[in-house]
Amino acid sequence: EAEVAQSPRYKITEKSQAVAFWCDPISGHATLYWYRQILGQGPELLVQFQDESVVDDSQLPKDRFSAERLKGVDSTLKIQPAELGDSAMYLCASSLPVNTEAFFGQGTRLTVV
Amino acid sequence: GESVGLHLPTLSVQEGDNSIINCAYSNSASDYFIWYKQESGKGPQFIIDIRSNMDKRQGQRVTVLLNKTVKHLSLQIAATQPGDSAVYFCAENKGRDDKIIFGKGTRLHILP
């Protein structure tokens, strides 16, 4: 069964360090999302891609976060420098365009110490 | 502002009973709604969806009801099982821009 792949599953980093997460969406899914989920809350959309183009990054803290999807397939989300408040689950999802459900990966649990 | 929210943060249900999880949305322009189930340490899992031109949709043991008049969405789970224990999120898709926005979630506890 096709699924969204994310790595790593867990990451511990010291504050002020750089960290990167990788996502490989389901084949053929043009839309890719990165969400951040703080414990006890719902996922918050950080950035949305349509193929290689950013559709929405209004909630992405651009002073420290960056996201790319250079070939319109897999994507990388980077944080530099990491802060304590960045500790959260980072979820990647993909979907076919236009009103279809998004399929989520298992997420990367980030702990900043 | 625009939001998707849930009435109750936790819900406890006896095993075998039916569960009803509610959700209110505020954006009347939303035309597609999704229910997700999230188990601890895992990503959200799609349960069922409904489009704004429908009032009801049924799946296996689950039913979603949409009341556009009062902007209310509910998820009904029949014969709740221990494996249904999870956090349930409703999400709305605002159509043209395909942005999927989540509410805060309801934790479902199954009592033995």
Side-chain angles (χ1 to χ4, degrees):
Chain A
E1 182 177 311
E3 61 180 29
V4 177
Q6 288 189 249
S7 68
R9 285 295 310 277
Y10 305 94
K11 180 70 178 178
I12 300 174
T13 191
E14 294 182 345
K15 63 181 180 180
S16 79
Q17 296 298 304
V19 64
F21 315 127
W22 178 79
C23 172
D24 191 12
I26 293 172
S27 178
H29 282 192
T31 304
L32 184 147
Y33 309 86
W34 282 102
Y35 287 84
R36 175 172 60 188
Q37 186 175 25
I38 295 169
L39 194 63
Q41 298 184 17
E44 171 196 8
L45 181 65
L46 292 176
V47 62
Q48 178 183 342
F49 289 92
Q50 182 69 27
D51 298 309
E52 68 277 7
S53 300
V54 173
V55 172
D56 188 310
D57 63 358
S58 58
Q59 300 303 311
L60 189 70
K62 298 181 190 61
D63 57 334
R64 297 185 301 107
F65 286 63
S66 63
E68 60 183 19
R69 192 184 184 198
L70 295 176
K71 297 183 180 179
V73 181
D74 58 336
S75 176
T76 303
L77 178 69
K78 297 179 181 177
I79 308 175
Q80 183 174 17
E83 297 180 353
L84 295 176
D86 296 331
S87 294
M89 174 80 87
Y90 289 82
L91 294 161
C92 179
S94 70
S95 71
L96 295 169
V98 188
N99 278 10
T100 59
E101 72 273 24
F103 294 87
F104 283 80
Q106 296 287 47
T108 296
R109 169 72 66 188
L110 173 67
T111 302
V112 182
V113 297
Chain B
E2 299 173 347
S3 66
V4 177
L6 295 171
H7 295 306
L8 296 173
T10 61
L11 176 66
S12 295
V13 176
Q14 204 76 37
E15 183 179 348
D17 287 352
N18 297 337
S19 301
I20 300 176
I21 301 172
N22 296 305
C23 176
Y25 65 95
S26 59
N27 188 349
S28 57
S30 294
D31 54 5
Y32 177 58
F33 303 87
I34 313 162
W35 280 101
Y36 284 95
K37 172 186 180 183
Q38 188 175 27
E39 297 174 282
S40 180
K42 297 184 178 180
Q45 177 186 4
F46 170 83
I47 301 174
I48 193 168
D49 59 1
I50 189 167
R51 302 190 185 282
S52 59
N53 61 352
M54 303 171 68
D55 297 321
K56 179 179 179 179
R57 189 158 189 232
Q58 288 183 295
Q60 185 178 11
R61 282 203 307 118
V62 294
T63 300
V64 56
L65 299 177
L66 176 63
N67 186 330
K68 294 180 285 294
T69 302
V70 295
K71 297 178 190 171
H72 184 268
L73 194 68
S74 68
L75 176 70
Q76 300 178 4
I77 304 173
T80 310
Q81 303 170 357
D84 295 328
S85 290
V87 178
Y88 290 81
F89 294 98
C90 66
E92 63 178 319
N93 184 313
K94 297 176 185 174
R96 192 170 56 187
D97 61 3
D98 263 346
K99 187 186 297 187
I100 298 177
I101 303 300
F102 281 76
K104 291 184 172 60
T106 293
R107 180 173 297 281
L108 180 62
H109 288 291
I110 311 304
L111 304 171

